[in-house]
Amino acid sequence: MILLHVSLAAILPSGQLTAQEEMTADEILKTLTETMNPEQSHGTMTMTIVTSSGQERTFKYETFSKDKGDKSLMKYLEPQRVKGQTILMLNDANDIWTYFPRTKRVRKLATHAKKQKVEGSDFSYEDMGASDAFIEEYNALRLNDENKEGRSCYKIELTRKAESNASYSRVMLWIDKENFIPLVVDYYHEDDPELHEKQLVCHDVELIEDIYTPMDCTMFNKLDNTYTKMHIVDITYQVDLADDLFTEMGMQR
Amino acid sequence: MTKTTKLITAALLLYTVAYAQPVDVYGYFEPQYNGIYSGDSYYQFQSNKLRVDLKSTAIANTEFGADVIFLLYHGKTDWDILDFLPAELTSTIPPLLRPFYSFRFEDTLYLDNVYARFALNRFAVTAGKQQISLGTGYFANPTDIFNTKDALDPTYEQPGHNAIRVDLQALPRLNLMALYSPVESDFESSGKMLRAKLGIGHFDISLLGCETQYTSTDFYTFEQTQERRHILGGDIVGELIGMGIWAEGIYNFFEDTEDGYEFLIGTDYTFDSGLYTMLEYHHNSLAKSDHEDYDLNDWMRFFTGETKTITSDQVYALLQYPLTDMLTIGSSAVLSVSDMSAAIIPMLQYSLFQNIELTLVGNIYIGEEGTAYSSSLGNGGFVRASVYF
């Protein structure tokens, strides 16, 4: 669900502005979902947790992604406390494995573990994975367009489907009309659609290898008064990652 | 070759490698304070552990790894196991033999792991002293014949074992593993294991076969007997109706003594609040179901790790809650169903600084004398700071 990459190819030419204006919520969401996950990527990111008392913890990790986010792997580089720990997510994060180098143990997590915080951050495993969750788990409704972060945005309201187990009852998205990057995402509590739980804000959008990429995203936890900053140190989309990387042996490599 | 010579040789080898190739040096320093109330007395002892890991991946597809552990002990380092056992068991031991039941925590310096690993995309060979982790259980792992877990601290790292291990990823979710552990003087007596691990849907399923030497000590005479042990077993992990489930078990075929089996089943769930809950049930047919039958051998084999449990049926429960981004609190409890004794183990983990973690673990034993978690085993806990570098 963390929306980081938007393919330039997906952006409609200016001549199709009228068609763009008439896009339905489902079409906007489909375009966003299809384009926010590039075919493959390999990068280095930092994640900084800031507590309500101002304490900070910074993690650095290497990320690999394939098949439009269906397969992803995160390997921690820093700090030493977690160096080498690896998280493998397959099938849109419906299958999660973690590898702990200090004990050489691979542990498979059940789906409910997606609700757990990643290294104590304000991102859950569900926030980090599940590339098509917005389409699969929610019904979409287009509201009146609004300006957000100084940009003209589509405003989409997502309501959780009755059969869904998603962790948020409602999600509000403000999607940049020009590049389909979700600039602001509001997440509402699982049991209370009016209780604002988290807010994701993305900025510093750069064009990297023809793909618009927000270099910085911050997840604010409105209930705990904490936030977690995520920054892309470097990223490339022109990679050919082997399937073997996204396996139990690949985690230990 | 003496132990010291071995250490020096290894250090020189590592030094040579360090000069020839870039080597990662990392590890941790871990001071720990333990306190125990036993009877009317309070005992304290401390340990200072320094683990230094060295790893080189300078040669393509190859990893050389080693770690050295320095351990210093202070405080009450001399212990007499008999002090914690029922008087009716200890009273029959001749005074001349009593010193054999004492032990001392001595300062140590040793190579815990030293191995070379060669890996291609779907194939890996690891040779040397290495960590081996098997099974899906949290509190105990019946399929892991190499290690015994501590109920107070089940996720703590395990020691290295001499082995040659071959891993082959035959299919994306089919892994084959062969392991040879040359712990005895000849091939016949050494340990061998084959394991196949297959992923089906949301499940991972393993089947394993193993042959090993089983050593049993008679702690009345201190004589040891050995016999061949063949094991068939397996484990599974996945989810059902939204809850995590897992199971693992083995059947032991002993050459001379009675066969036995051991299994564990478990489930876990994370609530929306972040509260993590886990429940496990563990059965060991080789342990006894009535605490009146526990004898000195049972206790000593349990304390020395020859057997994994003294009681045949146990239930383990764990609650963990991230109170803040830096602080996790929780508690586990072990109930010996066989003798209705229990241990309650509250815990707290705090990220003090970026690379410093503080762990507090308590243990409260609730049980009559002679039961698995008898209060006479001593109540207390430990505080541990882990400083990573």
Side-chain angles (χ1 to χ4, degrees), chain A residues 11 28 32 42 49 70 82 90 107-108 115 117 139 146 158 165 167 171 178 189-190 192 197 203 206-207 223-224 230:
Chain A
I11 298 163
I28 295 167
L32 179 149
H42 174 209
I49 303 167
D70 184 57
V82 295
L90 300 181
R107 188 171 171 222
K108 189 176 190 307
K115 297 170 185 170
K117 294 178 169 192
N139 293 313
E146 285 183 2
L158 303 179
N165 290 318
S167 293
V171 178
E178 191 179 322
H189 193 269
E190 172 159 35
D192 184 355
E197 185 176 340
H203 44 95
E206 290 185 14
L207 190 62
L223 304 181
D224 295 343
M230 205 172 271

Side-chain angles (χ1 to χ4, degrees), chain A residues 112-128:
Chain A
H112 63 78
K114 290 199 292 186
K115 297 170 185 170
Q116 292 175 4
K117 294 178 169 192
V118 178
E119 288 296 339
S121 74
D122 295 299
F123 288 93
S124 65
Y125 287 100
E126 186 172 357
D127 298 329
M128 304 284 275

Side-chain angles (χ1 to χ4, degrees), chain A residues 22-41:
Chain A
E22 292 170 358
M23 288 178 81
T24 65
D26 286 339
E27 287 168 341
I28 295 167
L29 206 59
K30 188 164 178 270
T31 308
L32 179 149
T33 303
E34 283 176 353
T35 55
M36 71 185 182
N37 295 290
E39 187 59 41
Q40 299 196 39
S41 70

Side-chain angles (χ1 to χ4, degrees), chain A residues 1-135:
Chain A
M1 251 196 246
I2 180 166
L3 315 170
L4 290 177
H5 327 295
V6 176
S7 167
L8 186 64
I11 298 163
L12 296 173
S14 55
Q16 295 184 13
L17 195 61
T18 307
Q20 194 178 353
E21 290 296 338
E22 292 170 358
M23 288 178 81
T24 65
D26 286 339
E27 287 168 341
I28 295 167
L29 206 59
K30 188 164 178 270
T31 308
L32 179 149
T33 303
E34 283 176 353
T35 55
M36 71 185 182
N37 295 290
E39 187 59 41
Q40 299 196 39
S41 70
H42 174 209
T44 309
M45 304 179 80
T46 59
M47 183 170 76
T48 303
I49 303 167
V50 184
T51 68
S52 53
S53 60
Q55 284 183 290
E56 289 193 8
R57 298 286 181 274
T58 299
F59 299 85
K60 188 174 185 181
Y61 56 90
E62 196 174 3
T63 65
F64 303 86
S65 173
K66 192 173 183 180
D67 296 344
K68 298 190 176 226
D70 184 57
K71 299 173 180 172
S72 65
L73 187 136
M74 289 171 57
K75 189 182 281 285
Y76 284 96
L77 305 172
E78 295 173 10
Q80 287 294 342
R81 182 169 63 83
V82 295
K83 186 178 179 180
Q85 279 184 26
T86 307
I87 302 166
L88 171 65
M89 291 187 270
L90 300 181
N91 306 318
D92 290 326
N94 283 315
D95 288 300
I96 306 172
W97 291 263
T98 53
Y99 170 66
F100 301 93
R102 289 193 190 279
T103 54
K104 297 278 188 282
R105 182 171 285 275
V106 174
R107 188 171 171 222
K108 189 176 190 307
L109 305 180
T111 314
H112 63 78
K114 290 199 292 186
K115 297 170 185 170
Q116 292 175 4
K117 294 178 169 192
V118 178
E119 288 296 339
S121 74
D122 295 299
F123 288 93
S124 65
Y125 287 100
E126 186 172 357
D127 298 329
M128 304 284 275
S131 57
D132 64 350
F134 286 157
I135 288 178

Side-chain angles (χ1 to χ4, degrees), chain B residues 46 188 252 375 385:
Chain B
Q46 305 91 47
E188 286 294 312
N252 292 285
S375 53

